[in-house]
Amino acid sequence: GVVVISGKDSIQHQGVSLTVEGSVNLQLSAKSVGVFEAFYNSVKPIQIINSTIEMVKPGKFPSGKTEIPFEFPLHVKGNKVLYETYHGVFVNIQYTLRCDMRRSLLAKDVTKTCEFIVHSAPQKGKLTPSPVDFTITPETLQNVRERALLPKFLIRGHLSSTSCVITTSWGQDIVAGAEGTRLQFEVNIVVLLHPDHLITENFPLKLCRM
């Protein structure tokens, strides 16, 4: 990319640096308060990338426009994974570039931040569908303390595939039935049974870019 600095007069500075940051954040929506609150409070943002390079040493930029080209290698921290950019309901994966121009004590520092998008390289070959049919009943639940107090219910579902191409649509069918209960569905798959019964069923998905 290119950093552009422009001004009517010359600009005295104490150096220009560029910082790349990438992180995975769990964000709580108003609708999910009470369901994911305990989990949300225990999870801190996961930092994938955090690196800074010095672009220009202290000096002076002439009047007019100055362009500074740059290249920035995306080296992840430790054994972290370079995930694709993702802005979801509960999960946010974001990468940003921040340019800082430091000024003297009598002048205000100048900072500019912009987001850049990370895409995985397309995979070769054809993706084989892997459909899943599932049934949830009181008998199939795990980690239940008092099974006898659960209401009777039956939830059947079908996932068209657990291996998905990220640029195409993804389908599923869910049919639920219960006796004297109220069902509310959340993403992946959270079922609330009235009163105060929470059922979760997670299906690992493989997302590919073809």
Side-chain angles (χ1 to χ4, degrees), residues 18-54:
L18 194 65
T19 301
V20 60
E21 295 178 324
S23 62
V24 180
N25 294 278
L26 181 67
Q27 52 195 22
L28 192 65
S29 68
K31 189 177 180 181
S32 63
V33 172
V35 178
F36 295 104
E37 193 171 19
F39 177 60
Y40 172 80
N41 290 334
S42 64
V43 177
K44 296 181 180 180
I46 301 173
Q47 198 168 67
I48 303 173
I49 298 176
N50 190 326
S51 183
T52 301
I53 59 173
E54 195 73 21

Side-chain angles (χ1 to χ4, degrees), residues 48-82:
I48 303 173
I49 298 176
N50 190 326
S51 183
T52 301
I53 59 173
E54 195 73 21
M55 298 186 67
V56 180
K57 294 181 178 180
K60 180 185 292 186
F61 290 116
S63 59
K65 183 170 70 173
T66 301
E67 295 186 351
I68 309 171
F70 68 89
E71 290 185 358
F72 217 121
L74 298 179
H75 295 315
V76 298
K77 300 181 64 175
N79 59 351
K80 298 293 192 303
V81 177
L82 189 67

Side-chain angles (χ1 to χ4, degrees), residues 53-209:
I53 59 173
E54 195 73 21
M55 298 186 67
V56 180
K57 294 181 178 180
K60 180 185 292 186
F61 290 116
S63 59
K65 183 170 70 173
T66 301
E67 295 186 351
I68 309 171
F70 68 89
E71 290 185 358
F72 217 121
L74 298 179
H75 295 315
V76 298
K77 300 181 64 175
N79 59 351
K80 298 293 192 303
V81 177
L82 189 67
Y83 298 105
E84 283 201 350
T85 297
Y86 178 76
H87 296 286
V89 178
F90 300 115
V91 178
N92 190 52
I93 304 175
Q94 187 175 34
Y95 300 89
T96 59
L97 276 173
R98 189 184 74 247
C99 184
D100 297 297
M101 182 171 66
R102 298 180 296 278
R103 307 290 303 280
S104 63
L105 294 177
L106 300 178
K108 186 177 180 181
D109 293 349
V110 179
T111 298
K112 181 69 174 180
T113 302
C114 69
E115 180 182 8
F116 64 95
I117 307 300
V118 172
H119 286 311
S120 298
Q123 297 186 9
K124 297 180 180 180
K126 187 177 181 180
L127 190 65
T128 303
S130 51
V132 173
D133 294 304
F134 63 89
T135 300
I136 306 175
T137 65
E139 291 73 25
T140 63
L141 299 180
Q142 299 178 359
N143 301 322
V144 180
R145 293 184 179 180
E146 298 181 2
R147 194 179 300 272
L149 299 180
L150 289 175
K152 294 181 179 180
F153 63 89
L154 173 62
I155 301 172
R156 291 195 181 99
H158 172 78
L159 304 179
S160 58
S161 180
T162 55
S163 298
C164 307
V165 179
I166 198 170
T167 54
T168 61
S169 60
W170 178 72
Q172 69 284 328
D173 296 304
I174 299 176
V175 179
E179 296 182 5
T181 62
R182 177 175 59 85
L183 298 180
Q184 179 182 346
F185 289 90
E186 299 284 350
V187 177
N188 284 337
I189 293 171
V190 179
V191 184
L192 296 177
L193 297 178
H194 183 76
D196 300 329
H197 291 293
L198 174 64
I199 300 171
T200 62
E201 185 75 18
N202 297 319
F203 296 92
L205 296 178
K206 179 183 178 182
L207 299 180
C208 305
R209 186 177 294 279

